[in-house]
Amino acid sequence: MSFQPRNILFFGATGNIGKHILAGVLSARDEFDRVAIFTSPATAQSKAAFLDDLKTSKRVEVIVGDIKDEEAVKKAYEGIDTVISALGRLAIASQIPLIRLAAASPSVRWFLPSEYGTDIAYGPASAHEKPHQQKLAVRAAIEEVAREGELSYTYVVTGPYPEMYMRGFSCGREGGGWDVLGRKATLLGEKGEDRVSFTVMKDVGTLVLATLRNPSASLNRALKVNSFTTTPAAIHAEFEKQTGGTPWTDVVYTPLDKLRALEQQAWEAGQPQATVLTLRRIWTEGGTLYETRDNGVVGEPKLTRLEEVVAQIVREEREKGEKARV
Ligand SMILES: NC(=O)c1ccc[n+]([C@@H]2O[C@H](COP(=O)([O-])OP(=O)(O)OC[C@H]3O[C@@H](n4cnc5c(N)ncnc54)[C@H](OP(=O)(O)O)[C@@H]3O)[C@@H](O)[C@H]2O)c1
């Protein structure tokens, strides 16, 4: 397929990662004729100011509708050549009808489904991981239409976002993280020395734009990209360096066997953090490490370094602390 995408439609552009991907594309707005987003009526109300700004200052078409409304989706696809989905975890399976409609559309040629995370085909065990099941079903559906030549796809596989991995203890104290103001940390792994590859959220946008700029190298494959590879111990050293240079005293470790036990308990109890605990276990086991990474395939764009993202977190946590005091 020798084409350059010119007319882009987003699903999920208002979400956690979708807004970074949209910002990445809008940083090169003039390279595209149309940039449109399809958003729900609920978001059209709750994020009205954000959507107005997109329309007025960024030349974004905002289409309000329900992703389950076939006619609305068909209409939104008119004249679109590339669809980027960043739909959230609860809407992953909804992409299957969106993919079939894209394959049937006369104009849509390329579909990037909502991935932007862990490699769901890393090894034989990946097929059995609970959080991967819906994304695997989406891949099966898109690969079927791609075999028939009706649509091409790209999976942008980024590994975890350091901003989410590092901040606080979102899965409880034993689930890992850094508390900048409390100078407390939980490092995953026996000694925190297991390597993990991360992609900073803003860099996900940069990498999706780089993918759009390199269609022939990106089609019908996974792109395994990342900002940097590091260890919990190296992250911790950076936090200490950027918070006065003295050691934090409250530092504990969660070895893999303990992490697996926490994960199992969370699934058995139906707790929402079960998914994240499974993903953290996969990352700690090495599920983000590759012999080579694919940043070069999409032109090796400039990305964020570990020290920069740690600086951002330290700054934001201090600002939050200041606000809480006044
Ligand atoms: N690598 C990582 O560390 C990491 C972390 C988090 C997420 N991810 C991945 O990134 C992707 C996007 O996740 P996210 O956290 O950014 O998503 P999100 O913020 O939860 O949702 C993204 C958007 O999807 C739409 N949406 C959400 N739930 C929906 C539903 N039930 N029905 C219809 N539309 C719905 C909404 O858009 P509108 O209302 O505008 O239509 C929402 O703004 C997923 O594939 C996820 O697995 C990766």
Side-chain angles (χ1 to χ4, degrees):
M1 183 166 70
S2 66
F3 94 107
Q4 279 297 323
R6 302 288 310 176
N7 299 294
I8 316 288
L9 176 71
F10 280 88
F11 293 105
T14 62
N16 293 322
I17 200 60
K19 56 182 190 266
H20 291 279
I21 300 174
L22 177 64
V25 169
L26 292 179
S27 72
R29 178 67 188 83
D30 290 344
E31 290 178 29
F32 305 99
D33 295 332
R34 290 177 59 199
V35 177
I37 72 165
F38 191 103
T39 188
S40 63
T43 295
Q45 270 200 337
S46 63
K47 297 187 182 168
F50 170 69
L51 298 174
D52 277 347
D53 181 54
L54 290 178
K55 281 191 268 192
T56 51
S57 48
K58 311 282 182 354
R59 290 185 290 130
V60 174
E61 295 167 42
V62 176
I63 302 165
V64 179
D66 180 350
I67 52 170
K68 295 198 167 60
D69 177 347
E70 267 196 26
E71 289 312 311
V73 172
K74 277 189 201 163
K75 191 159 178 357
Y77 280 169
E78 284 172 12
I80 293 297
D81 52 58
T82 301
V83 175
I84 299 175
S85 169
L87 287 169
R89 277 208 162 268
L90 297 178
I92 294 296
S94 314
Q95 293 177 109
I96 294 174
L98 298 179
I99 285 163
R100 298 205 172 117
L101 290 171
S105 140
S107 61
V108 179
R109 299 173 70 173
W110 195 9
F111 199 112
L112 280 65
S114 186
E115 289 261 346
Y116 324 112
T118 307
D119 182 5
I120 61 171
Y122 188 79
S126 305
H128 308 290
E129 299 288 5
K130 290 192 186 79
H132 296 353
Q133 295 311 308
Q134 295 203 349
K135 286 188 178 179
L136 286 167
V138 169
R139 283 195 181 191
I142 206 163
E143 286 168 25
E144 189 183 321
V145 295
R147 272 194 297 277
E148 288 156 16
E150 287 163 353
L151 194 64
S152 295
Y153 62 85
T154 302
Y155 310 136
V156 180
V157 172
T158 60
Y161 311 144
E163 298 95 319
M164 289 189 176
Y165 179 90
M166 292 180 192
R167 208 184 293 270
F169 302 116
S170 62
C171 299
R173 178 74 205 258
E174 290 174 299
W178 283 263
D179 168 1
V180 172
L181 300 181
R183 296 176 69 85
K184 292 182 202 163
T186 304
L187 278 58
L188 300 181
E190 195 78 48
K191 295 180 180 160
E193 287 172 356
D194 304 295
R195 290 161 70 240
V196 181
S197 300
F198 296 93
T199 303
V200 172
M201 294 174 87
K202 147 169 102 59
D203 292 348
V204 178
T206 303
L207 287 158
V208 171
L209 174 64
T211 302
L212 297 181
R213 285 172 167 166
N214 291 279
S216 53
S218 308
L219 293 181
N220 297 336
R221 58 172 293 175
L223 290 172
K224 294 164 189 170
V225 288
N226 55 66
S227 302
F228 52 79
T229 301
T230 189
T231 63
I235 295 170
H236 186 66
E238 193 58 39
F239 271 111
E240 288 190 335
K241 186 173 154 202
Q242 295 200 25
T243 53
T246 51
W248 295 10
T249 46
D250 189 353
V251 179
V252 296
Y253 295 81
T254 302
L256 262 171
D257 53 355
K258 176 71 190 165
L259 191 55
R260 290 192 187 102
L262 289 171
E263 171 194 358
Q264 197 182 337
Q265 281 161 20
W267 282 108
E268 282 167 8
Q271 291 168 342
Q273 69 265 36
T275 295
V276 180
L277 286 167
T278 295
L279 294 172
R280 287 184 175 206
R281 185 260 301 156
I282 292 170
W283 303 334
T284 308
E285 283 173 342
T288 64
L289 303 176
Y290 309 103
E291 275 175 26
T292 55
R293 64 177 192 170
D294 295 325
N295 296 34
V297 173
V298 292
E300 203 73 61
K302 187 174 181 306
L303 302 176
T304 310
R305 289 173 293 121
L306 167 64
E307 47 272 39
E308 293 171 316
V309 74
V310 167
Q312 175 196 328
I313 293 171
V314 169
R315 189 175 59 247
E316 288 172 1
E317 292 302 306
R318 284 181 174 156
E319 280 168 9
K320 260 198 262 167
E322 283 301 317
K323 266 197 202 136
R325 260 202 297 278
V326 289

